């Protein structure tokens, strides 16, 4: 007895599925595409689906084939957008991974440099500059004292006036050589800074 009893709604669904009418209401369109009536109405409000007045009718209905086709186009567009977003996300993920690799490499290089500095392989430029300046002052003083030491090592071989003249001549020559050396060092320093 239950098999003979069918509802009017059940007959409508069977009729919709066996023959496609030219016009359909919101419920029929929902059944065809597998969406609720509310979702079909939302798609209509957003402009994805359109209703029209069939000839001789006042109520608006959905042109069945056109509506289904528009819905299929809408679903395809959404799928393409999601695929585009996925590829953009993949590319961003790859960029992020590359940046992380570069960061790790630079952190490794920084660690190697710090270790080398701690081991004394590199010298702080400020300290190196001070130490070089101090060395050059000491060297200059040592070099300028050489003529006096040289003359003192010849006692009795030359008279005092000759010894003094020799000391002055050697000191003048030594100062000229040190000035030439200092100029070359300055030129080298400027070339290194400029390069």
């Amino acid at each position: 007895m239950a098999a003979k009893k069918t509802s009017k709604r059940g007959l409508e669904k069977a009729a919709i599925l066996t023959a496609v009418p030219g016009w359909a209401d919101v419920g029929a369109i929902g059944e065809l595409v597998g969406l609720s009536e509310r979702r079909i109405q939302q798609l209509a409000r957003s402009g994805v689906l359109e209703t029209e007045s069939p000839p001789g009718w006042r109520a608006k209905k959905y042109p069945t084939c056109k509506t289904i086709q528009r819905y299929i186009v809408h679903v395809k567009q959404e799928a393409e957008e999601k695929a585009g977003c996925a590829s953009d996300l993949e590319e961003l993920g790859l960029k992020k991974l590359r940046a992380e690799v570069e960061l790790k490499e630079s952190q490794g290089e920084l660690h190697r440099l710090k270790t080398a500095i701690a081991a004394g392989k590199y010298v702080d430029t400020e300290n190196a500059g001070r130490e070089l300046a101090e060395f050059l002052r000491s060297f200059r003083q040592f070099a300028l004292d050489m003529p006096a030491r040289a003359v003192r090592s010849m006692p009795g071989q030359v008279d005092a006036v000759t010894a003094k003249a020799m000391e002055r001549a050697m000191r003048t020559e030594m100062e000229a050589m040190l000035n030439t050396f200092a100029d070359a060092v300055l030129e080298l320093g400027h070339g290194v800074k400029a390069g």
Side-chain angles (χ1 to χ4, degrees):
M1 188 168 203
K4 288 184 179 181
K5 202 173 192 183
T6 55
S7 69
K8 185 176 180 181
R9 183 82 172 142
L11 287 175
E12 286 176 8
K13 285 182 184 177
I16 289 174
L17 296 176
T18 57
V20 179
W23 298 92
D25 65 5
V26 69
I29 295 296
E31 288 291 325
L32 287 171
V33 296
L35 297 175
S36 68
E37 290 182 16
R38 177 171 276 181
R39 181 65 183 137
I40 296 296
Q41 290 167 346
Q42 287 172 344
L43 290 170
R45 278 194 299 275
S46 65
V48 173
L49 304 179
E50 292 179 353
T51 58
E52 298 175 14
S53 296
W57 290 65
R58 288 188 184 170
K60 294 207 173 215
K61 298 254 183 193
Y62 293 91
T64 309
C65 290
K66 191 170 155 185
T67 301
I68 301 300
Q69 290 168 353
R70 286 183 68 130
Y71 179 71
I72 290 170
V73 167
H74 170 71
V75 169
K76 282 182 179 179
Q77 285 175 343
E78 280 185 337
E80 288 172 1
E81 287 173 6
K82 285 181 183 177
C85 288
S87 68
D88 289 347
L89 288 175
E90 265 183 45
E91 190 170 327
L92 286 175
L94 287 173
K95 285 181 181 179
K96 181 183 175 193
L97 286 174
R98 285 188 203 115
E100 286 176 358
V101 167
E102 289 175 7
L103 176 64
K104 293 291 182 189
E105 288 174 350
S106 66
Q107 286 175 338
E109 183 65 25
L110 180 61
H111 177 72
R112 283 189 290 281
L113 284 173
K114 285 181 178 181
T115 304
I117 289 169
K121 292 182 180 178
Y122 296 99
V123 180
D124 179 24
T125 56
E126 193 173 303
N127 289 337
R130 277 196 302 268
E131 289 177 15
L132 180 61
E134 182 59 34
F135 168 76
L136 290 176
R137 275 194 294 279
S138 298
F139 177 74
R140 181 178 177 83
Q141 190 57 47
F142 171 78
L144 290 177
D145 288 344
M146 286 176 73
R149 283 195 305 266
V151 170
R152 278 189 299 226
S153 69
M154 300 184 272
Q157 296 177 2
V158 289
D159 63 284
V161 174
T162 305
K164 211 48 160 165
M166 284 176 59
E167 183 181 335
R168 263 185 264 130
M170 284 192 289
R171 186 175 177 94
T172 302
E173 185 65 25
M174 190 63 74
E175 284 178 349
M177 291 173 72
L178 287 172
N179 286 337
T180 302
F181 174 73
D183 290 344
V185 168
L186 284 175
E187 258 183 57
L188 180 65
H190 289 295
V192 169
K193 287 180 185 175

